[in-house]
Amino acid sequence: MFFFPKIVCCSEETVISAGKWTGVNLDRFPEKHINVNPVNGVRFPVTIPPPRPKRIILVRHGQSQGNVDEEVYTRVPDPKIGLTERGISEAEECGRRIRDMVACKDGGDHHDWKVYFYVSPYRRTLETLRNLGKAFERDRIAGVREESRLREQDFGNFQDREQMKIDKEKRKHYGRFFYRFPNGESAADVYDRITGFRETLRADIDIGRFQPPGEQSPNMNIVIVSHGLTLRVFLMRWYKWTVEQFDGLNNMGNCNMMVMERGYGGRYCLLMHHTEDELTHFGLTKDMLRDQEWQMNAKPGELNYHSTITGPDFFDHFEA
């Protein structure tokens, strides 16, 4: 049986007036403060914007059985392919690297750092997370969420190894982004679902979903454990890279990381953690590096009008 709250008049403690309301349970919403309308004395909550997480850390899973022997795909469904012993060791080492990074940089007077995990539902990513998580105590883990949109690109029915080779050769001809595997996905399809995940992630950041009740730590770190192509598409979507720029990217190694760290203006920038040489090796062009330099100091919501993609410089008929 459901009970609906009664409607009360403005003389009672709970007041709804001009879109402003009171009577909120502050124990459930510690991030809300009460303000008072100086005209009529009505109390209403004011939300203090939560701090943005310090980093978004992208981690590719450890070495899997499929990375060692592609024939395993003809016997085992892709989501059920697990890590090798080497992959388990890689994941444990990756966890220690993440902990060293966030604990050393966020240490000093800031001992409140935490990590929050998003993970693909595939066996190899779940095993990667469980093993890299060994580096963290319980009170350092703010939460874990399995996110199906972070799954691997669907390669279709790969029970036929020879057909698998033919399809991969076709992908080289048609391009990595647009070629759709029979009964599977293209990278463009992955882009569409990653767009939905990105909007969820941005909403979570905006409302401070990662912050435990009553806490407002600027030293929260998001860790996304997923797959090589999925993470490249995530970066493409986040930084608005073109299809041509995506095609020039190299796959991350097993349990390697790409770190998007909050810059001086509040946006996330790869150059805050990585060197230009590292990003060039990953596949960033000079134009992409210049955009990362801009990201380092820009504020959320700003647009880089000097980018060759988002600004007038896209056109080549203007005089220098």
Side-chain angles (χ1 to χ4, degrees):
M1 181 178 297
F2 293 93
F3 295 93
F4 295 92
K6 68 175 181 177
I7 299 175
V8 296
C9 72
C10 60
S11 62
E12 296 188 27
E13 181 178 4
T14 301
V15 178
I16 302 176
S17 175
K20 299 173 181 178
W21 53 282
T22 62
V24 66
N25 185 342
L26 294 182
D27 292 332
R28 292 182 58 193
F29 299 95
E31 71 277 11
K32 295 182 181 295
H33 287 203
I34 292 296
N35 206 342
V36 179
N37 188 320
V39 177
N40 56 21
V42 172
R43 299 187 305 161
F44 59 92
V46 176
T47 301
I48 300 175
R52 293 162 66 83
K54 183 69 174 291
R55 301 175 188 84
I56 301 175
I57 304 169
L58 310 182
V59 178
R60 185 188 175 199
H61 61 80
Q63 184 190 72
S64 72
Q65 298 162 352
N67 295 140
V68 175
D69 179 15
E70 282 197 346
E71 193 168 318
V72 72
Y73 290 101
T74 66
R75 305 187 306 271
V76 182
D78 194 9
K80 295 184 179 180
I81 291 177
L83 297 182
T84 63
E85 288 298 321
R86 174 179 172 179
I88 293 173
S89 298
E90 289 173 338
E92 292 175 345
E93 173 60 24
C94 180
R96 290 190 288 269
R97 294 202 312 271
I98 294 175
R99 183 191 172 87
D100 289 345
M101 175 175 58
V102 301
C104 292
K105 288 191 176 182
D106 297 342
D109 297 330
H110 304 287
H111 298 294
D112 59 345
W113 63 267
K114 286 183 171 63
V115 287
Y116 187 100
F117 298 99
Y118 288 93
V119 61
S120 156
Y122 279 31
R123 177 181 171 185
R124 54 188 177 274
T125 43
L126 293 171
E127 289 180 349
T128 298
L129 176 58
R130 290 193 177 99
N131 283 283
L132 71 81
K134 295 176 181 178
F136 302 95
E137 299 87 353
R138 180 182 293 271
D139 62 352
R140 294 297 187 183
I141 300 176
V144 178
R145 189 187 307 178
E146 182 180 293
E147 175 53 73
S148 63
R149 289 171 293 185
L150 290 172
R151 66 187 184 274
E152 174 66 289
Q153 177 183 9
D154 189 343
F155 295 108
N157 300 318
F158 264 6
Q159 287 77 15
D160 188 335
R161 187 178 183 185
E162 293 306 313
Q163 186 61 45
M164 183 193 308
K165 293 179 180 179
I166 294 172
D167 291 335
K168 287 191 172 183
E169 286 300 317
K170 287 182 178 179
R171 180 175 61 172
K172 291 180 182 178
H173 176 72
Y174 286 101
R176 289 192 298 172
F177 189 76
F178 291 114
Y179 178 76
R180 179 181 288 125
F181 287 94
N183 301 310
E185 288 182 306
S186 66
D189 295 322
V190 177
Y191 184 97
D192 291 341
R193 57 176 160 87
I194 285 298
T195 295
F197 169 72
R198 175 182 176 272
E199 296 310 308
T200 298
L201 178 60
R202 290 189 61 180
D204 287 349
I205 290 173
D206 289 342
I207 67 175
R209 191 179 299 277
F210 316 106
Q211 301 289 349
E215 296 185 16
Q216 292 281 354
S217 172
N219 299 310
M220 184 64 65
N221 299 271
I222 299 172
V223 181
I224 299 176
V225 182
S226 185
H227 309 264
L229 180 135
T230 307
L231 294 175
R232 297 199 306 276
V233 169
F234 176 87
L235 288 168
M236 175 192 183
R237 181 62 184 87
W238 190 279
Y239 291 115
K240 302 177 178 63
W241 292 338
T242 67
V243 172
E244 181 180 0
Q245 289 169 333
F246 170 83
D247 284 337
L249 298 177
N250 297 309
N251 203 10
M252 299 165 57
N254 293 120
C255 274
N256 279 2
M257 298 181 292
M258 293 298 294
V259 180
M260 305 161 58
E261 187 167 324
R262 196 174 64 231
Y264 305 114
R267 294 177 71 104
Y268 292 102
C269 174
L270 295 171
L271 275 174
M272 292 296 295
H273 178 84
H274 299 280
T275 66
E276 288 194 10
D277 286 344
E278 288 174 336
L279 295 180
T280 299
H281 180 74
F282 181 57
L284 270 66
T285 64
K286 291 182 179 179
D287 285 342
M288 296 162 78
L289 288 173
R290 280 196 293 268
D291 181 65
Q292 287 299 314
E293 291 173 353
W294 175 84
Q295 301 274 352
M296 188 180 296
N297 296 286
K299 297 178 181 179
E302 291 183 344
L303 184 65
N304 184 3
Y305 288 100
H306 298 289
S307 168
T308 57
I309 299 305
T310 60
D313 289 342
F314 175 84
F315 303 97
D316 56 11
H317 64 281
F318 299 112
E319 294 182 2

